[in-house]
Amino acid sequence: MRKDVAFKTEDGVTLRGWLYQPDKARSPVPTIVMAHGFSAVKENYLDKFAEVYAAAGLGALVFDNRNFGASDGEPRQHIDPWQQVSDYRDAITYASTLPEVDADRIGIWGSSYSGAHVLVVGALDRRVKCVVSQVPLISGHRNARRLIRADMIAAVQGMFLEDRKARYAGKPHGMIAVVSNDPNVPCALPTPDSYEWFTETAKLRAPAWRNEVTLQSVELFTEYEPGIYIEYVSPTPLLLVVAAGDHLTVADEALAAYGRALEPKKLALLGGGHFDAYVKDFPASSGAARDWFAQHLLDE
């Protein structure tokens, strides 16, 4: 069972999403708080994950990040990772007020950029009793240098500085494409599988997705270091879902971070690439998360 919900953040922005409940649920139930990654909206397959969790007896609160999709917020298409971390925590607060939700058994799930956020939230917020981080960003600085050619880094940093000067002068945020199939067009996620997944998913199921973000969103990405929090998630149980062929949020960074994490922890290694976690490898990725949540939220 799914219903539309809306809630306010601490600074007054309305976020919108869905609340899933197991069929014939006896409230309150353990509930998973979920949002999507870089520029994605909830229709980018988050419903499929929530349906798996609901079928296992878990609730799920799925919401669009501020400035994206059905949620409010300005400027549109702007991503501040620390603001998204704060919004996750406000979503937990909101979920805790609902009669359908067992406030003592809340888990969090994130993927890609939000997979990074849940590492931070899991380390900082002890209301969280279980964490699943799927194909996460670990280091914005190092990851950016895997995605941007070395001879282009100075030019990209110059774009950031020019955008900063323009905003200081009162001009609107500069914008950049999220993905492109033209290697000569600057974009935030410059891999062929990023272009294929976002554009195909927009056609099939996520018409609210827009192929642009603020240029400052990319600058903030390069400054975000969520991996330093992974060792502080313990003693909250952590499942890290890594795609062996991931060259967007690169697999070796995630595997190295898993080595730094403390118990209780578990690694689920998928065979495909970053976006296969949502489609081809979905049974494995969603099943591993479902079982981890069930073990730590249902079986206690």
Side-chain angles (χ1 to χ4, degrees), residues 6 9 26 58 61 70 80 89 133 161 190 193 196 213-214 238 245 247 254 263 274 276-277 279 281 290-291:
T9 62
R26 293 183 178 179
L58 298 156
L61 172 62
D80 180 334
R89 301 183 75 176
S133 173
L161 294 178
D193 58 340
E196 293 168 8
V213 292
T214 64
L238 169 65
H247 52 263
E263 298 289 349
H274 185 88
D276 289 323
V279 188
D281 290 337
R290 174 201 62 213
D291 294 347

Side-chain angles (χ1 to χ4, degrees), residues 173-225:
H173 277 267
M175 306 300 290
I176 188 171
V178 179
V179 295
S180 175
N181 62 350
D182 184 344
N184 296 312
V185 173
C187 64
L189 306 178
T191 67
D193 58 340
S194 298
Y195 176 81
E196 293 168 8
W197 186 81
F198 273 107
T199 55
E200 286 301 312
T201 305
K203 293 175 186 176
L204 292 173
R205 56 181 7 256
W209 178 78
R210 290 167 52 187
N211 188 19
E212 63 175 1
V213 292
T214 64
L215 187 57
Q216 190 187 19
S217 300
V218 183
E219 182 180 20
L220 292 171
F221 175 101
T222 68
E223 299 170 354
Y224 188 38
E225 297 296 321

Side-chain angles (χ1 to χ4, degrees), residues 87-139:
D87 290 347
Y88 251 101
R89 301 183 75 176
D90 286 342
I92 292 168
T93 301
Y94 166 70
S96 300
T97 69
L98 299 176
E100 301 96 332
V101 173
D102 184 340
D104 294 323
R105 292 188 291 171
I106 289 179
I108 53 174
W109 177 97
S111 187
S112 195
Y113 215 32
S114 66
H117 301 342
V118 297
L119 295 177
V120 180
V121 176
L124 299 178
D125 198 323
R126 293 303 165 192
R127 295 175 298 176
V128 175
K129 299 303 188 291
C130 190
V131 179
V132 174
S133 173
Q134 176 176 285
V135 294
L137 173 76
I138 298 299
S139 167

